[in-house]
Amino acid sequence: MTVDMVIGASVLAATLRLAAPILLAALGGVISERAGVVNIALEGSMLVGAFVGIVAAEQTDSIVIGVAAAIIAGTLLAGIHAIAAIHWRSDQIVSGMALNILALGLTSYLNFQLYGTTGTPADVPDLPTVADQSILVWVSLALVPLTHLFLFGTVSGLRLRAVGEHPRAAETVGIGVRRVRYAAVLASGALAGLGGAYLSLSVAHSFTDGMTAGRGFIGLAAVIFGKWSPIGALVAALLFGYGNALSTSLQGATIGDTRVPVQLLGTLPYLLTILAVAGFVGRSRPPAADGVPYEKEGH
Amino acid sequence: MSGGAPTATGPGPGGPAPSVRQPAMQWATGPAVPVISVIVALLLGAVFVAATGNDPIAAYAALARGAFGTPYDITETLVSAIPLVLTGLSVAVAFRTGLFNIGAEGQLLVGALAAGAVGARFAELPGPLLMPLVILAGILAGAGYGAIAGVLKAARGVNEVITTIMLNYIVVFVMHWLLQSGPMTAPSALGTPASARIGDGAILPVILPNELVPLSRLHAGILLAALAVAVFWFLLWRTSLGYELRAVGLGARAAAQAGIDPARRMALVMAIAGAFAGLAGMIQVSGVFQRVFDGFSSGYGFDAIAVALLGKNSPLGIVAAALLFGAFAHGGAIMQSNAGISSHLVSIIQALVLFVIAAEAIVRGIAGRSRRGRKPVEAIA
């Protein structure tokens, strides 16, 4: 094992590359949960984004249309969750689980239907890079201060947080609780869809069944570990991305005679998140009305 | 809410009351909502199949033939249903106590790893000694893993949804390590990292003679599953502990008033839930695969959520729902090879079933019993 394997330039570059999709999902999760809706269908939004992004880019030969289609697809899936969670007051965890399974089933089914067993074509257009990183990496980083400013520096952001903390009070001062929640959930799906586009169009240049491989859930972990704040989510995403980068760079490395158990690095995001919610690493407290369906008075 | 479909989560101590209130045999007397959910999901699935240029009738015919076409197919459907019964019980026992166990998948894997490790390590032992050891290993490992979420819930008020999701992923990576470069690594002919084969004494025998159903894999695990269903029923409806668990599920605050400590019951029930799922993992090792390998479970722990909800957390309902999903699993694979329609169609249908159950208000509307006032899911964390 060498120092380069742990903090070399390639490891840091990989950290950014691996953190970006987690960050995009996490920012979506922060917005949605701050408004009081738990969206564990982020994983599904990401997966449909990844798939639709590839198909649209390949059909139109336009990377812009590919990315836009991915965002729309992620938003649509989140829209179903929004209707279920807000309008029908479904259980948000069950609805989210159902949509994750649906996303996996739909994309795998259509992937088989469209491309058979040969896989997606290799000639999809590529995303531009800036300083050796996909432009979407920089977009995801830029979205952190923007989301922070929106949530904590604008009236709309204040309203969104009010809806997640105390919907009844928000309603009495004239804020449309349902409308705000719809907007927040849709935005979370858009961000996750963008994360999916990044995975398929920029990292893999193809689509494979289930390729998001739990990144939406790591995003959810980053929301919690980052204490429901955009900056916290960034720190968490970078930390989780770093762990991920390490597990690649330390592949086959040894300390003395022992092989480094790199696979165990994969447990890092989940272990840290459990420790954080249990209060062993700071205390993570969700918005007061997070996950609680809102019903107008008199119903 | 005596006719209420099961809700997913329940309260923390002092939280709002959940609506998991139906007697044990509810499903047998009132299967309207689950049946309608399945029908709606099948119809939506048919629309989707038609929209993608395939023939829905041919697809469903192939699915049904695949699942029940020959005696062999029926036994394979049963083989697929066995782990679903057990993971379904795991999720259901937690629901009954007002908790949402998303961790059955992880608990199953831990149980499988323990059973695989013990079965291989003591491979020389004779069956009468080894089999109980392997069963115990699977159950205890699953229970221990489930208890982590339960204890964190009881001691620190941590939402079990978060912990069980995280624990599911943790075991996957630990499993990668164990099988790829850790102590359970063994030469594998599977093309995927796998553990060593368990001893003959740890293998659950095939229960149908080859002359009756050639090549059948239906193993004695079905008897363990049946026993587990009986235990589930007996525990919840015939013991005082079960009464207390259900009381906590109906309302933690009221239960506390009655002198039941909800926190302790919640910690305990997660261990019980883990025990059922761990047994499922053990059965897959001992009955089907004889070893553990990467990608061992095809999501039985996640399908279990739909199984428990569809089965209304009742013993008979869970068995029926597991048989349905077992038929989907085996039939889907045959449908793909015979009718050229992706087996992922069954995932779509299962997702729709789950989604329609979640949107219970709508099903109620269809059932003509419009009702309002579902209790909210607890805040996450």
Side-chain angles (χ1 to χ4, degrees):
Chain A
M1 197 164 91
T2 65
V3 176
D4 237 24
M5 282 173 161
V6 183
I7 49 164
S10 67
V11 176
L12 300 183
T15 299
L16 273 185
R17 203 163 58 236
L18 294 162
I22 300 170
L23 178 58
L24 285 166
L27 288 174
V30 167
I31 293 172
S32 175
E33 297 208 10
R34 280 284 183 170
V37 180
V38 175
N39 183 6
I40 64 167
L42 287 173
E43 174 80 15
S45 279
M46 207 176 225
L47 191 58
V48 294
F51 178 69
V52 172
I54 278 283
V55 174
E58 187 249 325
Q59 300 281 332
T60 63
D61 220 20
S62 158
I63 190 72
V64 176
I65 292 179
V67 172
I71 294 173
I72 292 168
T75 309
L76 282 177
L77 194 83
I80 303 175
H81 183 61
I83 294 171
I86 301 165
H87 203 78
W88 298 339
R89 298 192 303 282
S90 298
D91 187 291
Q92 296 174 12
I93 304 296
V94 178
S95 162
M97 285 297 292
L99 290 171
N100 284 333
I101 300 170
L102 184 68
L104 180 61
L106 273 181
T107 53
S108 305
Y109 179 99
L110 292 172
N111 191 28
F112 181 79
Q113 176 102 5
L114 283 174
Y115 303 112
T117 48
T118 56
T120 44
D123 58 342
V124 278
D126 204 357
L127 273 161
T129 56
V130 177
D132 277 340
Q133 291 281 1
S134 162
I135 188 152
L136 288 185
V137 170
W138 305 115
V139 168
S140 71
L141 291 174
L143 281 168
V144 174
L146 289 178
T147 311
H148 180 85
L149 281 177
F150 166 74
L151 282 175
F152 301 102
T154 68
V155 174
S156 304
L158 177 65
R159 287 186 172 149
L160 186 145
R161 286 184 293 127
V163 162
E165 288 290 343
H166 203 317
R168 182 81 69 215
E171 185 90 46
T172 55
V173 296
I175 299 170
V177 172
R178 286 183 166 193
R179 207 166 44 83
V180 170
R181 286 190 168 178
Y182 266 105
V185 176
L186 292 175
S188 74
L191 286 165
L194 182 62
Y198 168 75
L199 284 176
S200 65
L201 290 170
S202 183
V203 178
H205 303 287
S206 67
F207 178 85
T208 45
D209 292 351
M211 70 180 292
T212 48
R215 284 186 185 79
F217 282 107
I218 303 188
L220 190 75
V223 172
I224 300 161
F225 189 69
K227 299 181 183 173
W228 287 267
S229 92
I231 292 165
L234 171 66
V235 172
L238 287 173
L239 182 62
F240 299 169
Y242 178 64
N244 210 331
L246 268 190
S247 64
T248 313
S249 89
L250 293 182
Q251 204 92 51
T254 51
I255 299 175
D257 281 337
T258 333
R259 280 259 293 273
V260 179
V262 286
Q263 299 92 341
L264 294 182
L265 280 168
T267 63
L268 187 80
Y270 312 108
L271 272 179
L272 286 175
T273 300
I274 289 179
L275 292 176
V277 282
F280 297 119
V281 187
R283 186 80 179 129
S284 248
R285 194 193 70 87
D290 198 12
V292 185
Y294 180 66
E295 206 171 342
K296 279 189 182 178
E297 224 145 42
H299 278 254
Chain B
M1 286 290 289
S2 62
T7 186
T9 63
S19 53
V20 207
R21 308 179 185 194
Q22 48 312 75
M25 298 302 163
Q26 171 75 39
W27 201 90
T29 56
V33 170
V35 168
I36 290 171
S37 304
V38 172
I39 292 172
V40 169
L42 286 172
L43 288 176
L44 287 172
V47 170
F48 175 76
V49 170
T52 52
N54 295 305
D55 179 355
I57 293 172
Y60 285 162
L63 183 62
R65 253 200 322 277
F68 304 109
T70 68
Y72 170 77
D73 288 318
I74 294 172
T75 62
E76 281 299 296
T77 289
L78 289 172
V79 169
S80 298
I82 290 168
L84 290 172
V85 168
L86 286 156
T87 52
L89 295 175
S90 168
V91 175
V93 75
F95 272 156
R96 285 281 179 187
T97 313
L99 297 181
F100 196 163
N101 178 25
I102 302 193
E105 181 77 4
Q107 294 146 14
L108 177 148
L109 290 175
V110 170
L113 285 168
V118 170
R121 172 71 182 76
F122 303 106
E124 307 305 325
L125 284 183
L129 274 177
L130 186 53
M131 184 56 78
L133 263 183
V134 173
I135 293 175
L136 210 59
I139 288 177
L140 288 180
Y145 209 56
I148 297 174
V151 168
L152 285 173
K153 171 94 183 178
R156 323 254 334 171
V158 182
N159 184 305
E160 75 285 359
V161 171
I162 293 178
T163 29
T164 50
I165 288 177
M166 302 301 149
L167 288 167
N168 281 339
Y169 281 102
I170 289 173
V171 63
V172 167
F173 287 99
V174 171
M175 190 164 167
H176 286 328
W177 171 67
L178 283 172
L179 298 177
Q180 289 168 6
S181 54
M184 285 180 75
T185 310
S188 161
L190 292 172
T192 175
S195 66
R197 191 173 184 279
I198 56 173
D200 288 339
I203 292 175
L204 287 164
V206 169
I207 57 170
L208 290 179
N210 210 18
E211 306 84 67
L212 201 62
V213 184
L215 301 174
S216 163
R217 299 191 301 166
L218 185 59
H219 52 79
I222 195 170
L223 305 175
L224 288 175
L227 187 63
V229 172
V231 167
F232 173 87
W233 170 79
F234 188 82
L235 170 75
L236 279 173
W237 285 279
R238 286 294 178 273
T239 67
S240 57
L241 172 63
Y243 175 82
E244 291 170 5
L245 294 179
R246 287 184 295 122
V248 172
L250 295 178
R253 216 175 311 181
Q257 290 289 328
I260 300 165
D261 178 359
R264 293 188 55 173
R265 299 300 177 279
M266 287 177 179
L268 183 60
V269 84
M270 286 305 291
I272 296 171
F276 281 124
L279 180 61
M282 172 267 157
I283 286 178
Q284 290 305 93
V285 171
S286 288
V288 184
F289 299 115
Q290 285 99 47
R291 51 171 62 75
V292 191
F293 54 92
D294 259 359
F296 176 80
S297 169
S298 55
Y300 297 117
F302 298 119
D303 293 343
I305 297 164
V307 168
L309 289 175
L310 190 61
K312 291 189 137 189
N313 302 324
S314 77
L316 291 180
I318 289 165
V319 171
L323 285 172
L324 178 71
F325 279 39
F328 279 154
H330 176 62
I334 304 288
M335 175 186 71
Q336 173 160 331
S337 53
N338 287 359
I341 293 168
S342 166
S343 63
H344 292 288
L345 175 61
V346 303
S347 317
I348 296 173
I349 296 169
Q350 285 178 202
L352 290 170
V353 169
L354 193 53
F355 190 78
V356 173
I357 293 174
E360 160 198 354
I362 294 177
V363 183
R364 269 179 206 297
I366 298 170
R369 292 185 296 147
S370 179
R371 259 185 142 138
R372 309 207 63 162
R374 275 206 72 211
K375 296 297 190 289
V377 43
E378 164 194 25
I380 192 154

